[in-house]
Amino acid sequence: MISVEEARKIILAEIRRMGTERVLLSNTLGRVLSEDLLSALDHPPWDTSAMDGYAVRWNDTAGASRTNPRILKIIEEIPAGTLPQKKIEPGEASKIMTGAPVPEGAEAIVKVEETERHGDQVKIFEAADDGDFIRKKGEAIRTGDLILRKGIRIRPADIAMMASIGRSVVPVYQQPRVAILSTGDELAEIDEPRGPNKILNSNGYGVAAQVIEAGGLPINLGIAKDTREDLDKKLRGGLHADFLIASGGVSMGDYDFVQEVLMELGAEMKFWKVAMKPGQPLAFGVIGGKPAFGLPGNPVSAMVSFEQFVRPALLMAGGRTEVFRPIIQATLEEEVRKHPGRRHFMRAIVSVQNGEYRVRTTGDQDSHILMSLVKANALMILPEAGNIHKAGEKVAVQLLSDVAVAGNELSGLI
Ligand code: AMP
Ligand code: MG
């Protein structure tokens, strides 16, 4: 039996990055950028006005107030999207809209609220300082600036940014295709007519959703019977994918043939037991250069094992630089017990109280109790050696969402 770290190391050493492709900007949400992106232009492209108002030479407004306005001659109107034609000379102003280019000679914008127009003249009620309400060319982004780093998962703000610098086609990593097979004579599909003693296949759906969350494309291979023949037939159907995942059939039972069949199909098995709970049986091998996972059948074990091992592998294949969930330290709200020997991942709720993270379990931790995973937003990580952890103790907690915790030196450690 190997440790969680050893298992992760062995798995990640086998992972190859996917190739890249170019996709339309509007289709990049959630995809992983495959090149550093540099700006090919300045933003804003010229000095622009940050306000609706008047472009002026600032010393023409010196000493201006409500009772003692300066009067300037309006020489031009510059709506956004047009280019100014006239230079501002002393005593002159141009009416300008937000986002319009600032005319030559202008040094500041006076807000329209601080003015009053009379025909081709404008009263200025406020003195301007040099540069007031002018957004300088290249102030937001300069040509050559690093905009987005390779390996990030693209978010809405990133898409807005790419649009603002004129990227209509974006280089991203291809998404790994992940074949998923559920195994067990007792399993039935949700809508299929079924006899008594059948268990509904939940792993097929849960794991597929985890694959999507990790940027992969699930391929559903359905359910295989606990026979070598059916496993062989169904697993073969997944060999063209980039990852192969089976759930169930990896324990010591008389009908647990998944490992055997994977080996017959040419897999080199690397390990099949990890010192953790839930999820001790976990088969990992490489078949034709592709990773193959045999997850435990119990629904919670399957999903927790996926979190610890398949997810980082998928993210790495998909080009992500950050592949681990954030880990925080939280104060235990209750006593928790475990047997020494295996690392426990307890389904838990993290909350913040008085600026401090606190954590409690979500109830029955048996590996078939999905409800305690449904209620959880985190997994409490209890070390192998430990036995009793008392209320008030600090424990490591793995968050089950990708909240970026800047400066969290613990993230990625486990
Ligand atoms: P196994 O690892 O095949 O011994 O399965 C362990 C337990 O998980 C058994 O109670 C199975 O019925 C259950 N199980 C296995 N596969 C699934 C699945 N796809 N969906 C729901 N439960 C499953
Ligand atoms: Mg089974």
Side-chain angles (χ1 to χ4, degrees):
M1 197 149 59
I2 59 175
S3 71
V4 172
E5 273 77 21
E6 284 168 304
R8 249 187 213 156
K9 218 168 134 192
I10 292 169
I11 293 167
L12 294 183
E14 299 295 337
I15 302 305
R16 291 187 298 205
R17 283 260 146 99
M18 298 294 294
T20 62
E21 58 186 342
R22 295 162 66 78
V23 301
L24 288 177
L25 176 62
S26 40
N27 294 337
T28 57
L29 183 66
R31 299 296 301 270
V32 182
L33 196 61
S34 64
E35 290 170 23
D36 284 346
L37 282 197
L38 308 184
S39 180
L41 42 80
D42 286 335
H43 191 79
W46 335 267
D47 290 1
T48 56
S49 176
M51 288 286 169
D52 294 327
Y54 289 86
V56 300
R57 298 165 72 99
W58 71 271
N59 54 3
D60 277 352
T61 68
S65 67
R66 289 265 158 196
T67 49
N68 185 22
R70 293 277 170 271
I71 297 173
L72 301 176
K73 181 171 190 293
I74 302 169
I75 57 165
E76 187 179 19
E77 296 214 1
I78 315 165
T82 61
L83 284 176
Q85 305 297 324
K86 293 182 178 166
K87 180 176 174 189
I88 309 284
E89 300 290 354
E92 294 179 347
S94 284
K95 181 125 199 250
I96 191 165
M97 308 302 152
T98 306
V102 173
E104 210 186 318
E107 299 153 339
I109 309 297
V110 178
K111 286 187 285 186
V112 75
E113 296 90 321
E114 302 298 336
T115 66
E116 199 174 277
R117 184 174 184 163
H118 299 277
D120 68 348
Q121 293 196 320
V122 60
K123 284 184 180 169
I124 305 287
F125 297 131
E126 194 179 63
D129 281 331
D130 196 7
D132 270 3
F133 302 117
I134 293 179
R135 295 176 178 155
K136 289 286 186 198
K137 169 179 155 71
E139 177 182 285
I141 303 158
R142 269 177 221 295
T143 305
D145 277 357
L146 176 62
I147 300 302
L148 294 170
R149 274 196 194 285
K150 172 180 173 170
I152 59 144
R153 183 165 197 251
I154 297 170
R155 303 163 309 154
D158 305 325
I159 291 177
M161 174 57 95
M162 289 190 273
S164 80
I165 60 160
R167 291 298 300 222
S168 56
V169 176
V170 178
V172 294
Y173 286 98
Q174 288 167 354
Q175 295 175 274
R177 290 159 309 151
V178 184
I180 302 168
L181 180 66
S182 304
T183 78
D185 285 344
E186 75 283 23
L187 299 180
E189 290 295 8
I190 302 176
D191 292 324
E192 170 183 281
R194 58 181 183 275
N197 308 324
K198 289 285 185 184
I199 300 280
L200 288 178
N201 172 19
S202 63
N203 291 351
Y205 291 88
V207 169
Q210 287 181 302
V211 165
I212 294 169
E213 212 185 34
L217 299 171
I219 300 166
N220 179 14
L221 300 179
I223 297 172
K225 295 271 172 229
D226 288 320
T227 63
R228 288 188 179 82
E229 296 69 39
D230 204 33
L231 284 168
D232 178 276
K233 190 174 109 194
K234 303 261 166 67
L235 284 170
R236 265 177 210 281
L239 294 182
H240 65 284
D242 301 302
F243 276 57
L244 181 57
I245 301 178
S247 76
V250 284
S251 305
M252 299 286 282
D254 290 346
Y255 300 94
D256 290 339
F257 300 131
V258 167
Q259 280 222 78
E260 249 178 79
V261 174
L262 281 173
M263 287 195 294
E264 280 162 24
L265 288 172
E268 188 189 327
M269 298 313 290
K270 305 283 185 184
F271 63 80
W272 73 282
K273 265 186 170 183
V274 182
M276 64 187 280
K277 188 178 162 73
Q280 173 172 295
L282 173 81
F284 174 70
V286 178
I287 184 162
K290 296 169 180 180
F293 295 85
L295 299 178
N298 271 305
V300 175
S301 309
M303 296 190 84
V304 171
S305 301
F306 184 104
E307 268 293 326
Q308 307 313 317
F309 304 108
V310 189
R311 185 175 189 277
L314 266 178
L315 293 181
M316 183 175 269
R320 287 280 288 279
T321 37
E322 182 56 72
V323 302
F324 297 116
R325 295 283 203 194
I327 307 273
I328 58 163
Q329 292 284 343
T331 306
L332 259 177
E333 292 184 61
E334 59 186 348
E335 180 175 299
V336 290
R337 288 164 181 263
K338 65 184 273 294
H339 293 294
R342 292 195 265 162
R343 181 175 304 180
H344 282 217
F345 292 88
M346 290 196 168
R347 285 143 267 170
I349 292 180
V350 179
S351 59
V352 178
Q353 284 167 38
N354 303 323
E356 189 198 49
Y357 287 117
R358 302 179 68 85
V359 65
R360 63 177 185 279
T361 61
T362 52
D364 193 335
Q365 297 288 315
D366 223 335
S367 53
H368 63 292
I369 307 286
L370 258 182
M371 188 47 93
S372 49
L373 188 56
V374 166
K375 288 180 184 162
N377 62 7
L379 296 171
M380 192 191 296
I381 305 175
L382 301 179
E384 289 76 353
N387 184 4
I388 297 175
H389 294 271
K390 294 203 165 5
E393 230 179 87
K394 290 262 189 209
V395 291
V397 177
Q398 180 181 48
L399 303 181
L400 289 177
S401 62
D402 260 338
V403 194
V405 187
N408 178 3
E409 72 285 1
L410 288 167
S411 82
L413 280 189
I414 301 193

